[in-house]
Amino acid sequence: MRVLEQLGSEYRVLDGQRILTGDAVKQADRIVIGPNGVFHIELNNTAGEIRFAERIAEPGTAGSPDDPTAQAYRREFALKNLLRRNQIKAEVVGVICLTHPDATITGQSPGFAALTPDKLPSYIRSYKAKQELAGEQVGRIVKLLEEQSGSGK
């Protein structure tokens, strides 16, 4: 996703990272790690109406069959657990990126920002984390994700 190149050198973008969750594997579309948190980005290329539930669903469930948040909740849960198991404190932020030009949104996701690709870099850069990550923390998270995904250098 070329639009993420606009973020700058303080952000690292990982594509298709696997997140190990015990006996299962979740694959995140994109993960962006920067001074203001860890952003997992769920790409949705569905045309037409995207309907969001009006309430926060339990992880692994969604308010309607067309609600794209169920998968995003599962990935967020796996990512938070991975960081917790490795004693890393970082804010994890979920984003659903609607990539199809004919997508329309009905409702609002209570747990995730729903954005078009052109709005993604400014959303990430302007996000205010409760606790900033230092450069070495960003590097540690990137290394952890790359190593456990099998893509470490």
Side-chain angles (χ1 to χ4, degrees):
M1 177 172 258
R2 296 193 67 122
V3 71
L4 293 175
E5 294 172 2
Q6 299 172 19
L7 287 172
S9 61
E10 67 270 18
Y11 290 91
R12 293 288 307 274
V13 179
L14 304 176
D15 296 330
Q17 289 301 127
R18 295 180 321 152
I19 305 166
L20 306 177
T21 61
D23 60 347
V25 176
K26 305 293 180 202
Q27 186 158 339
D29 293 334
R30 301 288 184 282
I31 298 177
V32 175
I33 305 105
N36 56 342
V38 178
F39 299 82
H40 69 96
I41 302 165
E42 178 77 27
L43 301 177
N44 185 308
N45 194 33
T46 304
E49 182 181 28
I50 309 295
R51 291 183 292 175
F52 289 101
E54 293 181 12
R55 62 179 175 78
I56 295 177
E58 292 297 316
T61 66
S64 81
D66 301 320
D67 188 335
T69 59
Q71 188 165 292
Y73 276 118
R74 289 190 295 270
R75 290 179 179 157
E76 181 167 303
F77 182 76
L79 186 54
K80 285 179 176 180
N81 278 340
L82 175 67
L83 295 175
R84 191 175 306 120
R85 283 193 319 265
N86 287 276
Q87 290 83 44
I88 297 174
K89 291 184 180 181
E91 196 161 335
V92 176
V93 182
V95 179
I96 296 173
C97 185
L98 305 171
T99 59
H100 198 286
D102 295 326
T104 59
I105 299 172
T106 300
Q108 182 176 341
S109 171
F112 302 98
L115 307 168
T116 54
D118 60 315
K119 302 221 181 324
L120 195 53
S122 62
Y123 175 81
I124 291 172
R125 278 194 307 268
S126 66
Y127 185 85
K128 301 291 184 209
K130 294 178 184 107
Q131 182 177 357
E132 294 278 318
L133 296 174
E136 62 272 0
Q137 292 170 299
V138 170
R140 181 173 176 218
I141 294 167
V142 168
K143 183 178 178 183
L144 171 66
L145 287 166
E146 287 177 340
E147 286 175 349
Q148 67 98 47
S149 186
S151 62
K153 313 283 184 271

